[in-house]
Every structure is written in C-alpha cells, then in structure tokens.
Amino acid sequence: MNVLPRLLLPPGLYLLCDDTVLPGIPLVAKAERLLAGGARVVQLRMKRTPVREALEVARTVVSLCRSAGAVCLLNDRVDLALLSDAHGVHVGDEDLPARDARALLGPGRLVGVTVRDERGAREALEAGADYVGVGPVFGTTTKAVPAPVLGLEGLSRVVKGSALPVVGIGGVGLANVASVAATGAHGAAVVSDALLAQDIAERVRLLAGAFERGRVGG
C-alpha cells in the first residue's frame, strides 16, 4: 500500500485572498494577481460571499493554485475545502475545532489554527494541526481581533516554544515583514498590504524578497 507523503506548508509569504478587502475586485482576479507575483500559499477567506458562489470561487481558485504549484487553503470552511479539493483549511477562535477539522479532512490535507500564545500552539499540536497562525503581531484593521497585540517579542517567544511551524499574522506589510521573518517564523501572513497595492503582483514579489532577506539576516 502506497502512503502519500504528508503535505507541508511552504515557508515564506502566506497571502490572504479576502472578499472584504477591495470587494469590487472579484476574488478570482485577486488570486490571479497574487499568483502572478509568485505566491506559494493562498488562503481564500470568504466572509461575505454567498455559499454557492463561494463554492464556485473556491473550485476556480484551487485549480489556479494547483496549476501554479501553490497551496490553497480555505478559511473556516471544511466543507468547501473538501468540495473544491483544496489543500486544507485554516480555522480560528470561533470556527470548527482543529481536531474535528482533522477528522473530516483526514491526514492528507493541511490544518492550520489561529493561536495567541505558546499554550495555544501546544494545544494545536495535540489536536493534529500542521501549523499555527500567531497574532496579532501588529495592530490591524482588516479584521477585529479580541486579543492583545503580541509584538515581535511575543511572536518570537511562540516561535521558540512551538513544535509546529509558526506564521505571524496581523498588520504585516512591506515595512515589517523582514522583522517577522527575523524572529524565525516559518511564514508571514499578508492581507491588505498586498491587495491594496496598485500592482498586486509586484507587491507580492517585494514582500517575498523582504521576508527572505529577514530570514537570512540581510
């Protein structure tokens, strides 16, 4: 019996394709621009999109990501992830528990979990998560977050104490993405700084380069 290797989250930039940021631009168009910039991880977050439309969008974006060699994750929606053949899901504080998401998805897909501290990272590991999103690292207006800002020192503590790869989330952009990388974080999640750029693809390239420089200390 052949056993497929476990899917791993690519390191580096982690880009959110969000329907609340520039809602006038279709999600598929946003995804195309993110991928044109070399995105390796795209999380599709659809808070306002009706479910039938969301499924159609998910199937299209997953197909685009697979063609580009990128990982596509669905925010919150395990059902849409399964129906669209996404690479996995990311669940937050008020979503389906990670253990249940893992039970539904099986071992071959990624499960990411939002956590606030080292204890949350340990619990995510026990629940079967593949990585944790930790934040907010900085203040953010993209999403209301009922948790204190961690700052780079707080992020660094979680990175050092976590057995899972850590993605820094919350307020990350070109001005600070290198600092996030310098903490040893596996990745950095970016939303508005990429999607609000005049040239999204070029912004993604700049962000990815800055993360890499921060990671190697340059």
Side-chain angles (χ1 to χ4, degrees):
M1 177 178 169
N2 292 325
V3 178
L4 293 175
R6 185 163 186 173
L7 185 62
L8 300 176
L9 184 75
L13 216 55
Y14 180 116
L15 293 150
L16 279 81
C17 188
D18 191 306
D19 64 0
T20 68
V21 180
L22 281 187
I25 298 179
L27 284 162
V28 171
K30 292 175 184 175
E32 287 173 336
R33 295 174 195 180
L34 294 172
L35 292 168
R40 298 181 65 202
V41 181
V42 175
Q43 184 199 123
L44 188 55
R45 187 160 71 186
M46 298 181 284
K47 296 295 188 181
R48 298 179 180 176
T49 307
V51 66
R52 290 193 180 187
E53 181 184 347
L55 177 56
E56 182 179 350
V57 169
R59 284 173 169 160
T60 301
V61 172
V62 168
S63 178
L64 289 170
C65 287
R66 288 189 178 278
S67 295
V71 165
C72 185
L73 305 172
L74 268 288
N75 180 267
D76 302 351
R77 299 298 298 268
V78 176
D79 54 347
L80 295 182
L82 287 168
L83 289 168
S84 65
D85 195 28
H87 294 87
V89 297
H90 185 91
V91 293
D93 304 287
E94 299 178 355
D95 304 322
L96 193 68
R99 194 178 304 278
D100 295 312
R102 171 60 70 203
L104 289 170
L105 290 170
R109 299 181 198 266
L110 290 166
V111 174
V113 183
T114 298
V115 304
R116 308 301 177 192
D117 50 30
E118 300 97 313
R119 178 181 176 181
R122 290 193 298 271
E123 291 173 349
L125 176 65
E126 293 169 0
D130 296 289
Y131 73 92
V132 290
V134 177
V137 181
F138 308 105
T140 176
T141 58
T142 302
K143 179 181 178 182
V145 180
V149 171
L150 288 172
L152 292 169
E153 289 187 6
L155 175 63
S156 182
R157 285 195 299 273
V158 182
V159 168
K160 291 174 182 176
S162 175
L164 291 173
V166 171
V167 176
I169 61 176
V172 181
L174 190 58
N176 54 33
V177 68
S179 298
V180 171
T183 67
H186 185 81
V190 180
V191 193
S192 297
D193 192 79
L195 293 181
L196 294 178
Q198 186 172 0
D199 186 333
I200 292 175
E202 177 60 20
R203 191 67 165 189
V204 171
R205 286 189 282 267
L206 291 172
L207 284 159
F211 183 93
E212 183 62 20
R213 287 193 296 276
R215 188 182 69 82
V216 300

